[in-house]
Amino acid sequence: KAGESAVVAEFGKLRITLPGGFQESTTAGLYLNPDYPSDPSNVYLYATEKSTDFAQIMQGGQQEFVDGLVQNYQEQYGEAPEVTVFCYRPAVVGLYNAYEIEVGYTLQGITYHQLEYIIDAEQTYYVAYTQAGTGEWMNDYYTAASGMYFME
């Protein structure tokens, strides 16, 4: 929200200036907006050891990514949402190859719009900007994503 100070999320070497008012939750890497829980929109960061995941995602392509997403939600929520892909393309974050993925889906009656980055750095970083329901965070998310950087 305008006027609220921005928080810089630090996760490994990755730095992200979050939209104003977002604060880290009790779950490591999960940042919630100031209207939580009435607005469940959030930013979630995590990393895995550098592995073949990134190459597999690139090679498997969009359909494999969507199938994995649907399978995860089926296991977690017992519901398989129909996923609309707005963007699935190579990107660069800092000096690292990345993938930018933007999807929309409805899960448990809530419409989600998600911008995700998978970054192939010294670890494989995952950054998911999720807008839920009537939240209006996507423009702030695009700004935050464009400013991601690494401390080398």
Side-chain angles (χ1 to χ4, degrees), residues 26-84:
T26 55
T27 301
L30 179 63
Y31 294 83
L32 303 172
N33 77 80
D35 296 326
Y36 183 85
S38 62
D39 176 359
S41 300
N42 65 78
V43 177
Y44 185 52
L45 317 172
Y46 68 99
T48 60
E49 284 187 29
K50 193 170 177 74
S51 67
T52 56
D53 286 359
F54 187 78
Q56 288 172 342
I57 290 162
M58 301 288 278
Q59 192 175 39
Q62 178 176 315
Q63 192 56 52
E64 189 171 301
F65 176 83
V66 168
D67 291 347
L69 190 65
V70 170
Q71 182 180 348
N72 287 346
Y73 289 133
Q74 179 69 50
E75 291 169 4
Q76 209 169 358
Y77 302 103
E79 189 177 326
E82 185 173 319
V83 176
T84 300

Side-chain angles (χ1 to χ4, degrees), residues 67-142:
D67 291 347
L69 190 65
V70 170
Q71 182 180 348
N72 287 346
Y73 289 133
Q74 179 69 50
E75 291 169 4
Q76 209 169 358
Y77 302 103
E79 189 177 326
E82 185 173 319
V83 176
T84 300
V85 178
F86 302 115
C87 167
Y88 185 94
R89 64 178 169 228
V92 174
V93 176
L95 302 174
Y96 300 106
N97 288 327
Y99 235 70
E100 176 185 1
I101 304 158
E102 190 171 352
V103 296
Y105 53 91
T106 299
L107 189 64
Q108 298 183 326
I110 298 171
T111 299
Y112 293 90
H113 189 161
Q114 187 172 66
L115 176 63
E116 184 169 342
Y117 286 83
I118 302 168
I119 307 161
D120 188 31
E122 87 287 357
Q123 304 179 81
T124 302
Y125 289 88
Y126 298 83
V127 181
Y129 299 91
T130 305
Q131 175 177 284
T134 58
E136 295 186 4
W137 294 103
M138 290 313 296
N139 286 335
D140 291 327
Y141 289 164
Y142 296 133

